[in-house]
Amino acid sequence: PVNFYGSEVGVYEVVLANAEHSAQVGFYLPTHSFLERSDVFYICTLVHEFYGVCKEVQPAPREHGWADQERSRLLAKPDES
């Protein structure tokens, strides 16, 4: 959980036992503002494949690293020339 970030790792005023347990054993899916519908379908297909519900996984809709490239493009400073 968020309370494990920062310089005082694990030091906080409120004990969140359930949240801490879920953070240790949870099943996390990709989530971010750059996901498109095709990405969500692809992720769901992989989960279905893992559980044996789906037998055929289509190729990923985008190349590996696309989110990092998009984030870098958005965070780049405009050219000051």
Side-chain angles (χ1 to χ4, degrees):
V2 175
N3 56 1
F4 285 123
Y5 294 103
S7 61
E8 297 180 353
V9 176
V11 178
Y12 44 92
E13 295 178 14
V14 178
V15 176
L16 304 171
N18 291 334
E20 292 168 15
H21 176 74
S22 294
Q24 296 300 316
V25 300
F27 180 71
Y28 297 95
L29 297 173
T31 57
H32 55 78
S33 58
F34 299 131
L35 287 180
E36 294 179 350
R37 188 176 181 90
S38 61
D39 300 315
V40 174
F41 281 121
Y42 177 69
I43 293 165
C44 291
T45 301
L46 293 177
V47 172
H48 285 150
E49 180 194 33
F50 178 81
Y51 286 105
V53 179
C54 175
K55 300 202 187 288
E56 181 180 341
V57 176
Q58 299 296 320
R62 302 195 232 187
E63 293 181 20
H64 180 74
W66 66 267
D68 292 332
Q69 293 172 2
E70 182 67 13
R71 185 179 303 108
S72 295
R73 184 184 67 76
L74 292 173
L75 294 175
K77 293 181 179 179
D79 187 15
E80 296 180 4
S81 54

